[in-house]
């Protein structure tokens, strides 16, 4: 009798612990994805490992990537990482300056709403989001400004996720999402009243191409704001091997065909026809460090590693997820070092 009671108690406690570990702790972000729901975008379970290996060999030497193939490999990258990003970061795939006393969620929203102010978005406007992810920024900007936002992403899986989130947030009448390449957009000339891109155009092999397309679809006089990833004047790739490793680590783990230098952004914008009204390094004071959120996540990363390993062993998550997760963990280290050394920043 006692043994039965003991076994019964042990199994109830065990089941409770498993439930807590996978479902309660598994929801890394409030309202986020759960570990048991991790898919690898539109890649079938049997192909995840192969796709990851193909991605990895393509981006091993980022500056040598073939321009024409970049969008296809960026698409593969987002098939591999979209669910992990949503699970561990939320619906906005970008960094935000740390705001003392405010949560990450608030800081993210403030950073997104700033875009609506910068481009003067208002009700009746049609605004372009070039590289929209699963639409965190588009929902914040549409809700704040009342404008209609049209997002474009190269990744079909993200289109489905973004549309589902838009419906759930009751914003589907203001937010629309299309699958396409921002280097050749399926939009008429002069058909938008404003545009923005948040940490997305860094995926373009040539910045001229995507800026040129955005300029084409904007009405004359309309405003465009872009949050960019760049190296700073402190980056000394010709003499400092550690600098090279950090920057290549960022490029490899984020599907970037080569980071640009800070000064190239405004130069390119002018070259394609824009007038540059303002530019800023988003890491400079009074902005708090954008990489602090990455540093604080160490315990969560370990828990996530255990979760993906166990789920792969149980065949709930596809083979290859552990490798993708490890790649992201390493990338987080390179991004943190890039921020701390000041050789890498985000600018507008
Ligand atoms: C703009 C881009 C993406 C920026 C960030 C949203 C992502 C960059 C690195 C990602 C992450 C790193 C570590 C992951 C962690 C190991 C895992 O357990 C949970 C998810 C991470 C925190 C993940 C989340 C998104 C990033 C911070 C690029 C692609 C241009
Ligand atoms: C880091 S995510 C940022 C997403 C979104 N701006 C956000 O902040 O949540 C980069 C986005 O750019 C998109 N992207 C990259 N290259 C693209 C291309 N050639 N055409 C369209 N979208 C692209 C990706 O699919 C992804 O949605």
């Amino acid at each position: 009798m006692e043994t039965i009671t003991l076994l019964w108690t042990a199994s109830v406690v065990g089941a409770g612990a498993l439930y807590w570990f996978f479902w309660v702790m598994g929801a890394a972000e409030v309202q986020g994805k759960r570990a048991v729901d991790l898919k690898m975008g539109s890649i079938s379970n049997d192909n995840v490992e192969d796709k990851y290996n193909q991605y990895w060999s393509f981006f091993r030497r980022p500056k040598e990537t073939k321009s024409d193939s970049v969008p296809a490999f960026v698409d593969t990258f987002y098939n591999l990482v979209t669910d992990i990003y949503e699970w561990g970061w939320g619906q906005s795939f970008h960094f935000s300056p740390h705001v003392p006393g405010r949560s990450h969620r608030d800081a993210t929203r403030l950073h997104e709403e700033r875009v609506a102010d910068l481009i003067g978005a208002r009700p009746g406007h049609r605004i372009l989001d070039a590289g929209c992810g699963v639409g965190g920024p588009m929902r914040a900007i549409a809700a704040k400004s009342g404008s209609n936002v049209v997002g474009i992403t190269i990744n079909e899986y993200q289109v489905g996720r973004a549309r589902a989130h838009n419906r759930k947030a009751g914003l589907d009448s203001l937010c629309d999402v299309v699958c396409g390449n921002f280097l050749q957009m399926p939009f008429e000339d002069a058909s938008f009243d404003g545009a923005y891109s948040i940490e997305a155009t860094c995926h373009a092999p040539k910045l001229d191409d995507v800026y040129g397309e955005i300029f084409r679809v904007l009405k004359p006089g309309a405003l465009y704001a872009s949050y960019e990833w760049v190296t700073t004047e402190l980056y000394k790739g010709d003499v400092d091997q550690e600098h090279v490793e950090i920057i290549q680590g960022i490029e490899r783990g984020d599907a970037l065909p080569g980071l640009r230098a800070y000064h190239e952004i405004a130069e390119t914008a002018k070259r394609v026809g824009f007038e540059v009204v303002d530019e800023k390094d988003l890491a400079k004071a009074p902005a708090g460090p954008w990489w602090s959120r990455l540093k604080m996540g160490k315990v969560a990363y370990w828990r996530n590693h255990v979760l993906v390993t166990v789920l792969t062993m149980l065949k709930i998550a596809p083979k290859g997820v552990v490798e993708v997760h490890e790649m992201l963990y390493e990338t987080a280290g390179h991004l943190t070092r890039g921020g701390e050394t000041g050789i890498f920043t985000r600018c507008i």
Side-chain angles (χ1 to χ4, degrees):
M1 186 66 180
E2 264 183 12
T3 320
I4 289 178
T5 314
L6 211 69
L7 280 174
W8 173 244
T9 315
S11 51
V12 169
V13 170
L18 279 176
Y19 172 82
W20 176 76
F21 197 67
F22 285 105
W23 273 267
V24 182
M25 284 189 79
E29 274 286 312
V30 186
Q31 289 179 355
K33 269 206 159 267
R34 288 172 200 284
V36 283
D37 298 328
L38 289 181
K39 287 194 213 73
M40 295 286 109
S42 34
I43 305 175
S44 64
N45 280 8
D46 298 341
N47 281 332
V48 172
E49 231 180 356
D50 280 356
K51 284 286 177 191
Y52 169 72
N53 290 332
Q54 283 168 21
Y55 166 81
W56 192 244
S57 32
F58 183 78
F59 273 102
R60 197 165 34 210
R61 285 187 206 83
K63 289 231 156 65
E64 292 167 24
T65 52
K66 290 203 179 71
S67 289
D68 292 352
S69 319
V70 168
F73 279 94
V74 170
D75 180 28
T76 299
F77 173 79
Y78 282 105
N79 275 327
L80 296 169
V81 304
T82 293
D83 275 357
I84 302 184
Y85 275 18
E86 270 202 57
W87 171 52
W89 201 253
Q91 295 173 15
S92 295
F93 296 172
H94 61 81
F95 292 103
S96 309
H98 172 67
V99 185
R102 305 293 285 266
S103 65
H104 294 312
R105 187 175 284 253
D106 286 353
T108 303
R109 202 174 174 91
L110 287 172
H111 193 51
E112 293 167 350
E113 290 179 349
R114 179 180 185 183
V115 170
D117 293 336
L118 285 170
I119 62 174
R122 53 174 196 268
H125 271 181
R126 185 172 184 247
I127 305 293
L128 170 70
D129 180 339
C132 64
V134 299
M138 100 170 8
R139 286 182 286 284
I141 289 163
K144 175 170 162 78
S145 66
S147 57
N148 295 282
V149 184
V150 181
I152 184 166
T153 165
I154 194 82
N155 184 257
E156 186 78 60
Y157 181 70
Q158 291 187 338
V159 174
R161 295 292 302 157
R163 286 187 181 150
H165 290 313
N166 290 346
R167 271 195 304 276
K168 205 167 163 199
L171 287 165
D172 46 334
S173 57
L174 288 181
C175 299
D176 196 8
V177 190
V178 297
C179 190
N181 188 347
F182 57 34
L183 304 170
Q184 289 161 317
M185 289 192 278
F187 305 125
E188 301 277 307
D189 293 359
S191 55
F192 286 94
D193 303 286
Y196 66 89
S197 41
I198 300 188
E199 303 189 7
T201 49
C202 48
H203 287 296
K206 293 193 192 92
L207 194 61
D208 287 77
D209 294 348
V210 56
Y211 277 12
E213 261 304 84
I214 292 168
F215 187 77
R216 175 184 73 75
V217 301
L218 280 175
K219 293 178 183 169
L223 292 166
Y224 169 52
S226 187
Y227 290 163
E228 291 289 343
W229 278 22
V230 289
T231 54
T232 69
E233 72 288 351
L234 296 179
Y235 174 62
K236 303 281 177 254
D238 41 352
V239 288
D240 194 324
Q241 190 50 30
E242 198 210 344
H243 286 190
V244 176
E245 273 156 30
I246 293 171
I247 295 303
Q248 281 191 356
I250 293 174
E251 292 168 341
R252 235 182 259 135
D254 290 294
L256 307 177
L259 274 167
R260 289 168 262 272
Y262 185 96
H263 66 88
E264 290 179 67
I265 306 301
E267 285 166 14
T268 310
K270 286 182 201 150
R271 203 161 43 238
V272 304
F274 284 110
E275 180 192 334
V276 177
V277 281
D278 201 5
E279 56 172 307
K280 242 184 219 80
D281 182 337
L282 291 165
K284 289 255 159 83
W290 54 267
W291 60 93
S292 61
R293 185 175 171 191
L294 279 178
K295 284 188 90 166
M296 285 189 289
K298 289 237 162 172
V299 176
Y301 301 159
W302 173 83
R303 177 205 64 198
N304 292 352
H305 174 73
V306 174
L307 275 169
V308 291
T309 308
V310 173
L311 290 171
T312 309
M313 280 160 56
L314 296 174
K315 299 197 186 312
I316 295 173
K319 238 172 131 203
V321 178
V322 175
E323 286 80 353
V324 176
H325 188 263
E326 259 164 28
M327 172 187 84
L328 293 181
Y329 178 73
E330 273 178 31
T331 309
H334 291 303
L335 284 161
T336 306
R337 283 297 292 148
E340 285 172 343
T341 52
I343 64 170
F344 166 76
T345 192
R346 299 146 49 258
C347 69
I348 186 163

